[in-house]
């Protein structure tokens, strides 16, 4: 089982030809609401990629909260650890342009009330093969969950987004970190991905830096270093591509898949997701990923 301690947001997605500049109003051509949040996205991605998944987090007592709980449950995610708190659920306002790019504003809502794992959360984490973490919950909560995983001998996988300073106590408890190249540069001060991954490996056992169209770079303290090329597709919507990658990667690694093969599995999952609109709605099922990998030359 994989546990995910993270955020659940309702994504309010506006589709436009070109994103508005400061002070500019543009007319969109489509709008939709899609359950998301980096935590919920990774939970659904991992479940669709073939894992048993438990989600630990919070939603509000509004209609968005009920819908997000239902969406997670329908995806096969265990939601016993998804608490309900008074007030609004988290939301993300997303603008997607015709080139597939996006910009996002997150309002934490119920996510901001999570100050740490509950007793039930701790038991779930201890019984997991891996714990997935992101930074859309308060930092104190993320640190506490990572430390709980370390005490239980459970690998903690951190997606350091949204980008912010990472306290030493968090990095000391994390097994693998998966930033994109911009986040890696912010964390380490190195624009060169190879230099950045060297710096990351001084703090964690494994690191993966996603490089967009240039693929992904993997490194381990054991000395292993891999660069896996991207799978070229026409992107429709890149929202949650990174979360899809991390969810699929965690599943493959939890199953004992070697790093290179696991990265290819994760890369294909992300490539399939960007060809569809939405966050959780775009994530591929395991059979789709495996079929697509078999069709590669």
């Amino acid at each position: 089982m994989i546990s995910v301690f993270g955020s659940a947001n309702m994504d309010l997605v506006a589709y436009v030809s070109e994103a508005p500049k400061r002070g500019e109003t543009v007319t969109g051509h489509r709008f939709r609401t899609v359950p998301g949040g980096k935590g919920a996205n990774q939970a659904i991605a991992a479940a669709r990629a073939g894992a048993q998944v438990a989600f630990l987090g919070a939603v509000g007592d509004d209609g968005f909260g009920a819908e997000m709980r239902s969406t997670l449950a329908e995806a096969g995610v265990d939601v016993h650890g998804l608490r309900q708190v008074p007030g609004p659920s988290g939301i993300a306002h997303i603008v997607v342009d015709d080139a597939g790019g996006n910009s996002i504003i997150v309002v934490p809502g119920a996510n901001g009330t999570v100050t740490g794992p509950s007793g039930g959360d701790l038991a779930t984490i201890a019984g997991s093969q891996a714990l997935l973490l992101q930074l859309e919950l308060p930092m104190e909560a993320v640190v506490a969950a990572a430390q709980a995983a370390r005490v239980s001998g459970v690998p903690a996988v951190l997606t350091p987004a949204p980008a912010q300073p990472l306290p030493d106590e968090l990095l000391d408890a994390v097994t693998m970190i998966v930033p994109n190249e911009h986040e890696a540069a912010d964390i380490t001060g190195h624009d060169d991905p190879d230099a950045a991954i060297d710096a990351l490996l001084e703090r964690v056992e494994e690191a993966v830096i996603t490089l967009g169209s240039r693929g992904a770079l993997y490194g381990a303290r054991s000395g292993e270093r891999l660069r896996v090329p991207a799978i070229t597709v026409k992107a429709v919507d890149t929202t949650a591509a990174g979360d899809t990658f991390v969810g699929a990667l965690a599943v493959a690694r939890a199953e004992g898949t070697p790093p290179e093969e696991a990265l290819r599995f994760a890369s294909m999952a992300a490539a399939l997701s960007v060809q569809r609109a939405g966050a959780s709605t775009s994530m591929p099922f395991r059979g789709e990923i495996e079929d697509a990998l078999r069709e590669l030359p």
Side-chain angles (χ1 to χ4, degrees):
M1 181 183 72
I2 290 174
S3 56
V4 181
F5 185 78
S7 58
N9 295 323
M10 183 60 72
D11 292 346
L12 312 179
V13 191
Y15 295 87
V16 298
S17 297
E18 187 173 342
K21 302 176 181 64
R22 182 181 177 90
E24 181 183 18
T25 299
V26 301
T27 300
H29 49 73
R30 189 174 163 209
F31 174 80
R32 63 193 307 212
T33 58
V34 183
K38 296 192 75 61
N41 288 341
Q42 291 185 6
I44 292 173
R48 289 190 173 184
Q52 290 185 320
V53 180
F55 184 74
L56 311 172
V59 292
D61 56 4
D62 54 5
F64 286 162
E67 185 175 349
M68 286 187 284
R69 181 182 298 277
S70 175
T71 298
L72 284 160
E74 289 172 2
V77 176
D78 183 338
V79 293
H80 286 95
L82 178 59
R83 66 195 79 167
Q84 183 184 84
V85 300
S89 298
I91 66 101
H93 178 268
I94 303 173
V95 176
V96 180
D97 62 34
D98 284 351
N102 66 73
S103 59
I104 304 173
I105 300 171
V106 174
V107 182
N111 299 301
T113 69
V114 181
T115 57
S118 67
D121 294 345
L122 294 174
T124 298
I125 291 169
S128 303
Q129 294 170 286
L131 170 66
L132 303 189
L133 299 166
Q134 320 79 33
L135 299 179
E136 288 183 343
L137 297 183
M139 183 61 76
E140 63 182 301
V142 178
V143 170
Q147 290 174 332
R150 175 66 76 181
V151 168
S152 298
V154 174
V157 180
L158 173 66
T159 302
Q164 56 188 285
L166 302 180
D168 289 343
E169 57 265 36
L170 176 59
L171 290 174
D172 289 344
V174 166
T175 305
M176 176 187 284
I177 190 168
V178 190
N180 63 31
E181 57 186 317
H182 306 295
E183 293 156 356
D186 286 342
I187 294 166
T188 66
H190 297 290
D191 291 328
D192 176 65
D194 283 290
I197 211 163
D198 285 338
L200 291 171
L201 291 174
E202 293 177 3
R203 304 305 310 275
V204 298
E205 296 174 24
E206 294 180 280
V208 178
I209 299 177
T210 57
L211 303 171
S213 62
R214 291 178 289 125
L217 179 64
Y218 168 85
R221 279 186 181 169
S222 64
E224 187 172 9
R225 184 69 56 94
L226 297 167
R227 189 181 291 270
V228 175
I231 296 167
T232 304
V233 296
K234 178 173 176 53
V236 171
D237 183 353
T238 59
T239 306
D243 295 327
T244 303
F245 179 94
V246 172
L249 177 64
V251 172
R253 292 308 307 277
E255 293 174 348
T257 305
E260 184 169 9
E261 186 179 343
L263 288 165
R264 285 172 59 82
F265 182 82
S267 296
M268 180 56 77
L272 291 171
S273 77
V274 301
Q275 297 176 71
R276 306 165 182 171
S280 58
T281 51
S282 72
M283 296 169 177
F285 290 90
R286 186 183 188 107
E288 296 178 279
I289 302 169
E290 292 175 339
D291 287 346
L293 285 170
R294 280 192 288 268
E295 292 173 4
L296 289 177

